[in-house]
Amino acid sequence: QLYLVESGGGLVQPGGSLRLSCAASEFPVEDYAIGWFRQAPGKRREGITCISRSGANTYYADSVQGRFTISKDNAKNSVSLQMTSLRPEDTGVYHCAVVNCKPRPVPLNLGNWGEGTLVTVSS
């Protein structure tokens, strides 16, 4: 099973930073492309970034371009999302998933999103 567990969310003021982690339990992340998605209250889930299997290629949605950075740590078997210059509109539940990343993230999780991690940007 391609289990992934998100962590690192919390409350942060506008302009602040957070680092999210996506940990794989039973498969090597180096063998799969991984993406991050978020869902704000009342809005559709949005694919915001993904990284290719090798880590050589990345995609960022316009809404996060220049502020967020996705990366792989194969030794720790995890994927990170560094978020900077956070805005209130970044608030939402963040999920990671195995994806097709060519270049936009398309989830391959069969609808199993797990709990995700909540990011709240507010003053």
Side-chain angles (χ1 to χ4, degrees):
Q1 300 269 346
L2 302 181
Y3 293 123
L4 294 168
V5 179
E6 304 91 346
S7 63
L11 175 64
V12 64
Q13 293 186 339
S17 300
L18 282 175
R19 183 183 178 94
L20 306 184
S21 179
C22 173
S25 298
E26 300 179 352
F27 69 96
V29 298
E30 65 183 342
D31 286 354
Y32 298 89
I34 306 293
W36 283 94
F37 301 76
R38 69 184 181 188
Q39 187 169 29
K43 297 183 65 177
R44 187 177 182 181
R45 183 178 291 107
E46 173 191 21
I48 58 172
T49 183
C50 59
I51 186 167
S52 64
R53 182 177 61 183
S54 70
N57 298 307
T58 58
Y59 161 84
Y60 298 95
D62 290 343
S63 57
V64 306
Q65 179 73 50
R67 300 187 297 119
F68 291 11
T69 302
I70 188 171
S71 62
K72 284 186 172 181
D73 187 335
N74 293 335
K76 296 181 179 179
N77 204 32
S78 67
V79 177
S80 294
L81 181 64
Q82 289 185 309
M83 307 187 297
T84 63
S85 300
L86 285 163
R87 306 164 180 169
E89 53 263 42
D90 293 320
T91 294
V93 177
Y94 285 68
H95 299 88
C96 60
V98 174
V99 300
N100 279 328
C101 187
K102 296 180 179 291
R104 295 174 177 82
V106 177
L108 300 174
N109 60 2
L110 302 178
N112 182 13
W113 291 100
E115 294 184 354
T117 187
L118 177 63
V119 173
T120 303
V121 184
S122 177
S123 60

